[in-house]
Amino acid sequence: IVDAVDECATRGNGDILVFLSGEREIRETAESLRNHHVPGAPGTKALPLYAKLSADEQMEVFRTHTHRRIILATNVAETSLTVPGIRFVVDTGVARLNRYSPRTKVQRLEVEPISRSSADQRAGRCGRIGPGVCVRLYAQEDFEARPRYTPPEIVRTNLASVILQMVALNLGEVEAFPFLEAPDSRLVKDGYDTLHELGAVSASGTLT
C-alpha cells in the first residue's frame, strides 16, 4: 500500500482512497503511512473511514483542505458515500462479508476477495473530477478468475429477522415468495427453527 501511495504521488495532485477490509487493517496502515514520507507531498494526512467512527470523525473526510489526504476506508466508500476530490484509488482486493452457517449456527464477518463488479465499482471512485488512476494490488489473472458479482446478502446470512418481517407483513409462504435471488431452503428452515426456539412464531407459522 505504501509503495502504491508513492506511485500515485508521482502521477499528480489529488487525494488517494485506499480500500481495506476492516478497522484493524485501517489502523495498521495509518500507522505505516504516518511513519512514511510521501515523496513530493509534505503535510500528507491519513484519515480513517469506517462505520464505527463517530459522525464528526466521519465528516472529517468531507471538510475542505489544502494538503493531500489518504482516505483509508472499508467498502462503505464503495457505494454508500462519495468522498470528494479523489483522483487515485488503491484497491487491496478484499472485503469483509457476512457469512452464516446453518450447520454451526454461527454468523461471521469473513475477509474474502471481492467480485469483479465490486472492483469496477471501487475503480469508479476515482476520476470523477478529472482523469483518475486505480492501482490494484492483485494480478490481472486473479481479477479475471473472480466471480462477476458479489452474492446478495439474503443468500449468505441468517434469515430469522427476514422471515419475521415477512410473517408480520402477511407476505405468504417464504418458500413461495418471488425473490430475485432465492435463499437456500436450508437457510429458510434454519430461520424458522430459530424463531420457533425464541417462541416468536407458532407451529402454524403465525406471530405469537
Side-chain angles (χ1 to χ4, degrees):
I1 291 172
V2 171
D3 289 343
V5 165
D6 286 352
E7 181 179 343
C8 292
T10 65
R11 293 175 175 263
N13 297 323
D15 291 345
I16 303 169
L17 175 60
V18 182
F19 282 99
L20 294 141
S21 57
E23 180 180 349
R24 182 173 63 85
E25 293 80 5
I26 286 175
R27 292 185 182 278
E28 290 176 352
T29 305
E31 185 64 26
S32 295
L33 288 168
R34 289 185 187 116
N35 295 326
H36 174 73
H37 173 68
V38 179
T44 297
K45 188 175 183 181
L47 295 177
L49 179 61
Y50 50 90
K52 281 175 61 179
L53 289 174
S54 68
D56 190 58
E57 288 173 315
Q58 291 188 36
M59 285 303 297
E60 179 69 22
V61 303
F62 299 103
R63 297 193 174 104
T64 56
H65 58 285
T66 55
H67 297 294
R68 187 196 299 271
R69 301 178 311 167
I70 305 169
I71 312 300
L72 307 174
T74 58
N75 55 355
V76 68
E78 190 177 305
T79 55
S80 301
L81 52 85
T82 298
V83 181
I86 299 298
R87 293 288 299 275
F88 306 93
V89 163
V90 177
D91 179 14
T92 58
V94 293
R96 288 187 186 274
L97 292 180
N98 267 320
R99 291 284 181 184
Y100 176 73
S101 169
R103 183 177 61 83
T104 61
K105 307 284 188 182
V106 171
Q107 182 149 326
R108 296 180 295 177
L109 272 173
E110 298 185 354
V111 177
E112 300 181 10
I114 60 173
S115 64
R116 284 179 285 154
S117 62
S118 286
D120 291 341
Q121 185 75 32
R122 291 181 174 189
R125 298 287 95 183
C126 67
R128 297 198 165 197
I129 57 173
V133 174
C134 176
V135 179
R136 289 175 173 155
L137 303 184
Y138 46 100
Q140 179 77 15
E141 294 77 13
D142 184 355
F143 171 81
E144 292 170 351
R146 295 183 180 203
R148 184 72 186 94
Y149 299 105
T150 305
E153 190 164 5
I154 197 166
V155 303
R156 52 182 170 82
T157 192
N158 187 316
L159 294 180
S161 63
V162 174
I163 294 171
L164 192 65
Q165 289 178 334
M166 293 181 69
V167 172
L169 294 170
N170 296 315
L171 295 181
E173 293 291 326
V174 176
E175 296 86 348
F177 190 81
F179 291 107
L180 292 177
E181 297 274 357
D184 189 284
S185 59
R186 291 171 299 177
L187 286 173
V188 175
K189 180 181 181 302
D190 178 81
Y192 272 117
D193 289 345
T194 300
L195 294 174
H196 290 147
E197 287 175 26
L198 294 171
V201 172
S202 67
S204 62
T206 59
L207 292 181
T208 60

